[in-house]
Structure formats: structure tokens, C-alpha cells
Amino acid sequence: MNIVIVGHVDHGKSTIVGRLLADTGSLPQGKLEQVRQQCENNSKPFEYAFLLDALKDEQAQGITIDSARVFFKTSKRHYIIIDAPGHIEFLKNMVTGAARAEAALLVIDAKEGVQENSCRHGYMLSMLGIKQVAVLVNKMDLVSYEEDVFRQISQQYQEFLEKIGIQATCFIPVSGREGDMISERQENLSWYFGKTVFEILDEFHKKDIDENLPLRMPVQDIYKFTKFQDDRRIISGTISTGTVNVGDEVVFYPSGKKSYVKSIEMFNQPAVPGIGAGYAVGLTLTEQIYVKRGEMLTAFHGHPPEVTSRIKVNLFWMGRAPMELGKTYHLKLGTMKVPVEIEKIEQVLNASNLDSTDTAQKIARHEVAKCILKMPRAIAFDLADRISPTSRFVIVDQNNISGGGIIYEALEDAQSQVRQMVIERNYRWIMSNISREQRFERYGQKAALILITGRRDAPRKEIARALEERLFMQGKLVYFLGIGNVIHGLDADLTNDPDTHPEHFRRLAEVANIMLNMGTILIITAIELQKSDLEIIHTSIDDDQIKTVWVGDEDSSSGMADLHVAEHSPREQVVEKILELIHTNLSS
Ligand code: GTP
Ligand code: MG
């Protein structure tokens, strides 16, 4: 069971953990004496907290400590105690899954009383869904073991916890330094009849076991076999929740692509028939579908994840600079990393006193906010009250993790409808025996979509024809499709009013999708593509295959073009530039 120990600086977290190890006989033989002796030699007072440092490098002894995790066991079970050095590390660990606490020990110094971080940490526990909290009122020796002091702090903190929806498991008066109520009862606290810290650990309940939740595995990487004519791929990742078995029908999101599990490979171990949450695995599938890092593997017969680009979150900000409207950050959830922006701040809360405002324009350090975030493309995730590990995210500012939180609502976005159709299409896609790689090898190219757009008079079609000809002469499988060919054919049933505008683009994208699947380099020309048109195309097609060229000086696609060319530049030069742009697609 994973337990995190939190609290204000210097309130005695490390001392309590050190004491717990010492008093339960969990330390290697002679360690305590050795550390005491070292302190004496250097004439500095002994601290139980030093035991943690002293143990850091001793992996081989029954107990090990890495970074801030302490492993030890009682007769009931094994524990990992996470002595989180700060908020950011704690949040990072909780989100990345490095250490997912199920219960917490929250330490408050009896002499200093409830401090800002006592509250912030409490808030963070509540936000992350850790509802089992034992509050340890430490350093009771400094207040002469007064029951009144304990009662007062307990009551004050209890009131705070109630406001944030946590019912403390218990309050325990302790002295880490003197060893009262850690694992032993002494005369000093004879007025206290409750459990010791050691006893309370075994009382914590194991949460909903992650294995019993629906299957979620964020895709970490895709490895291709390199042997001749072997087109299998291994999809690697760590199972976040649920279990996966050979033969299971699985669906990847946001794409909606579906296949069956053919084998489950494990590192340095024989393949297994099934495996559950917490394990890192490599899966091979019966059909060689094309999926990317960041997608989420789920079971076909299970609760599907949410997929959208707009989310309502509860976010804790820790960056030095405040989080602001109009600025781009990155959101990391599972193995997915996408740009993100605040769309709206609904409420900002001071996590230490719960003062709130709903007119804030930014989120300052240590503040908590309910806000709407938007991303340029959809991600797959879950809601906090359903499957919490895949609802947790961190926000990266430049290269620093500066905040994090949970998603509690999925909101519609402009692409919701189209996306649903695409998921449905991918999910029902009828596979052929020829893989994407085989086609690419045959044609000596990767499929690509080159969108050439610009103002009415711009020479889009001339450029497209020249480009097609050039590629054709090079032996490529290439096709030029003017949007008119679709509008007057496939779309003959659609009127030409603004309402049907998106549908024209959805159909165009569907045609393009089939041609890309064939392995073609497809060149499409259209007048003045708008951002919303491009978004439909990007939602419908694997978007790393798309390149957009804007011809002319003014660009109405709001910067979505990958290349701008001047209207009157020499044709040859323009063709060269486009070829450069798609170079990686050509040399498969
Ligand atoms: P950070 O990791 O820096 O946040 O601190 P911490 O919460 O881990 O506190 P630590 O265990 O390092 O203790 C801080 C100081 O408080 C040390 O000098 C301890 O000796 C002292 N201390 C811890 N517990 C007790 C106690 O029960 N009684 C007394 N008198 N001092 C204590
Ligand atoms: Mg410490």
C-alpha cells in the first residue's frame, strides 16, 4: 500500500518516518547505532530524519529507499511511504504514476499549529481523491503533552477538512523525536486511547483495486520489427488500470482504431496470456493498425474514455509566474503532451484559507482554480470520479512542471460531431491484408496530403499541376484533386449555403482519407481554406500526414499553413519548396 506523508516544512515528516522504521525493527542491523555514532563524532545532535539519508544507498538490505520512497512491512502487508519533498514532486509522482498514494499521513507541529501548507497539502489530497487521511499532531513534547493543544488543533483542522470534503480517519498526538504513539504508547500521552501511527497504517483500506477498473493503457511507443517482411509492431506502455488478455478486442482513442491483442510481451520474460494494472508491457495486435504515442488503449467491451479538446478542470498552480489567459502551456496526461490554453477561469481559490473569487484573470502561485482549458486537438482521458489515474494531468510552462490537477467534465468542441463520425468510421474500418508499410515500400513513398490554398486569383491549380507532374515523373503515386471535382460530384446533393459548408469538407476529408490509405500523395486545391475547414480535415485524417501551403500574401487560415509562397514566385521554385516540405514523406 502506498502512503504519502505530507505537511508544512519542518513539522517532522522525516523524523516520524525514521522513527517508524527504527521502532518497528525495520532498519538493518546496527544502522541506528552507526548513525548515532557518526553524529557524535561530528558533534551534532542525532536526528531520526538522518536515518533516511543514511539508507538511501543501501538497496541490498531488507529495506530500501529511493529518492523519497521508503519501503517497509508490517505483519499485514508491505508499505511504500512517500516522503514527498515538496508539492511539485508530490503532484508529479501522483500524476505520472511513479507513486500513487492511496492514503496519507498529514503532520502538524503542535507548537506551530496549522500552517499554510498544512491546508494546501490537505487540499491537494482532496483534489487527487485521497480521502483516507490520518492527521498526526507532532512534537507534543514541546507543548508538555497538553491534551488541550491537541484538541484545539484537531478541531481547527477538522473544520478545514470538512470544507474540502475529507473526513479524517483519525487524529493522533505524537512525538516523533521521543517516540510517543508512533509504534509505542508511553505515559506522556496517557489521556489518548486511540491507535498509534503503526496501528493506523494497517487500518487503511485498499482502494478500488486498479485492476478492477476499465482497461486504460497510454501508448508509450511503437516498435517495428526490423526483420525482412515482418510488419508486426509492438505497442508498448504501462497499464494504468484494468487488465488485458490475449484475444481481447481493443480500441485506441482518440482515433477509434480497433484490433485484437495477439500477444503480450514482457521485458526479459516469456509472453503472458494476461496482465493487469501497474505492469509495463508490449502488445502485438492481429491487425497492423497505425496508432501513435499518446493514444489510449482501452477494451472494446468496457466504458469508453472521453475524447475532446475542451475540458473543465480543477487545477493547482505552483509556477513562479502566474498562469495567464492567452498564454500557451503544455498539458501532459498519460503519454500525451499537447499545447493548452485557458479558455475561462471560473473560480480561483486560496488553498490555505479557502477564500475564493470568480473574477480572477490569472492563477497565482499556490492558488487553485476551476477553469476551462482548450487544446488544438482532442485527447483521450477519463473523469476524476470515474477513473482517477487517467483524469490527472500536469501543466508544463517552458520546461517546468508548474501545475496539475484533475479533469471533472468533458465539454463539447466545434469538432465533436465530426470526431464522433470519424471514431465510428475507424472503429468499423474493414481491414485488408496489405499493411501501410507494405504499400509504402511498394510505392517508395509515404502517403501525404498537400493542401494548396490561397485567395481566389492565386495560382493554386497551376502550382498543383506542376507539383503533380514533377512527382509523377519521379515515379511517385500522386493525384491532383480540385475541390470542385468533389463538390459537383459526390456533393451534388448538397446545397451551397453556409450550413452545408462543414459537410463539404467532411466529405472531402473522407475521400482524402481513402486515398491516403491507398498510399497516394494527394494534392488538393481549394479557395481560401479557413481555420474551421482545416480543423475538420485535421480531425478526419491522421494529422501528421497533412501539409498546408498558402499561396499569396494574406493568410486567412490563422497561421495554420506550414508554408507560405508569394503569388508571383517562379513556379519551379515553389515546387521545390513544397517538395522540401514533404521530403520526409517521400523518402519513406
Ligand atoms: P522538511 O522535510 O524540511 O519539510 O521537514 P520535515 O517535516 O521532514 O521535518 P523533520 O523531520 O526534518 O524535522 C524538523 C525538525 O523538527 C528537526 O529538527 C526535528 O528534530 C524536529 N522534530 C521532529 N519531530 C519532533 C518532535 O516530536 N519533537 C521535537 N521536539 N522536535 C521534533
Ligand atoms: Mg523531511
Side-chain angles (χ1 to χ4, degrees), residues 49-122:
F50 294 161
L51 287 169
L52 302 189
D53 297 323
L55 287 167
K56 271 191 183 136
D57 307 316
E58 304 196 11
Q59 304 282 325
Q61 322 270 350
I63 112 158
T64 47
I65 297 190
D66 68 16
S67 61
R69 298 191 300 166
V70 181
F71 301 74
F72 90 111
K73 63 176 197 285
T74 65
S75 57
K76 183 173 175 184
R77 58 190 170 200
H78 289 260
Y79 289 95
I80 297 176
I81 298 193
I82 307 151
D83 183 4
H87 317 16
I88 298 200
E89 286 77 6
F90 173 45
L91 199 77
K92 208 158 45 181
N93 286 344
M94 285 297 290
V95 171
T96 57
R100 252 172 217 160
E102 296 160 87
L105 300 174
L106 193 144
V107 182
I108 301 175
D109 183 321
K111 191 148 185 236
E112 283 195 21
V114 177
Q115 298 290 310
E116 281 182 331
N117 278 343
S118 318
C119 296
R120 283 185 194 130
H121 290 177

Side-chain angles (χ1 to χ4, degrees), residues 310-379:
R310 289 177 70 232
I311 52 180
K312 255 194 198 183
V313 304
N314 206 353
L315 177 150
F316 194 98
W317 188 249
M318 294 166 285
R320 269 177 215 291
M323 187 176 186
E324 292 179 59
L325 288 160
K327 193 178 157 191
T328 303
Y329 302 88
H330 281 89
L331 178 142
K332 273 170 85 169
L333 186 150
T335 50
M336 171 77 92
K337 184 175 178 189
V338 278
V340 70
E341 229 182 89
I342 304 177
E343 178 178 308
K344 187 173 173 219
I345 299 174
E346 297 192 320
Q347 190 193 45
V348 168
L349 192 83
N350 175 330
S352 61
N353 59 18
L354 303 182
D355 284 349
S356 73
T357 153
D358 41 20
T359 54
Q361 293 302 301
K362 56 185 176 197
I363 310 162
R365 188 173 207 191
H366 293 149
E367 282 180 337
V368 174
K370 283 194 175 10
C371 50
I372 298 177
L373 300 180
K374 62 175 180 190
M375 296 154 281
R377 57 177 190 275
I379 59 166

Side-chain angles (χ1 to χ4, degrees), residues 15 21 88 131 220 291 293 373 423 564:
T15 303
L21 295 176
I88 298 200
K131 307 270 173 178
Q220 178 85 41
V291 292
R293 174 189 164 91
L373 300 180
I423 288 175
H564 284 99

Side-chain angles (χ1 to χ4, degrees), residues 449-460:
L449 169 60
I450 304 151
L451 289 167
I452 302 181
T453 185
R455 295 257 180 269
R456 183 165 295 277
D457 311 322
R460 299 175 309 276

Side-chain angles (χ1 to χ4, degrees), residues 7-16 46-49 83-85 107 109 138-142 174-179:
H8 199 76
V9 60
D10 272 355
H11 280 197
K13 302 176 289 290
S14 306
T15 303
I16 289 172
F46 168 79
E47 289 269 0
Y48 277 92
D83 183 4
V107 182
D109 183 321
N138 186 32
K139 307 196 191 180
M140 285 302 292
D141 54 299
L142 294 183
V174 304
S175 168
R177 178 178 284 177
E178 305 305 324

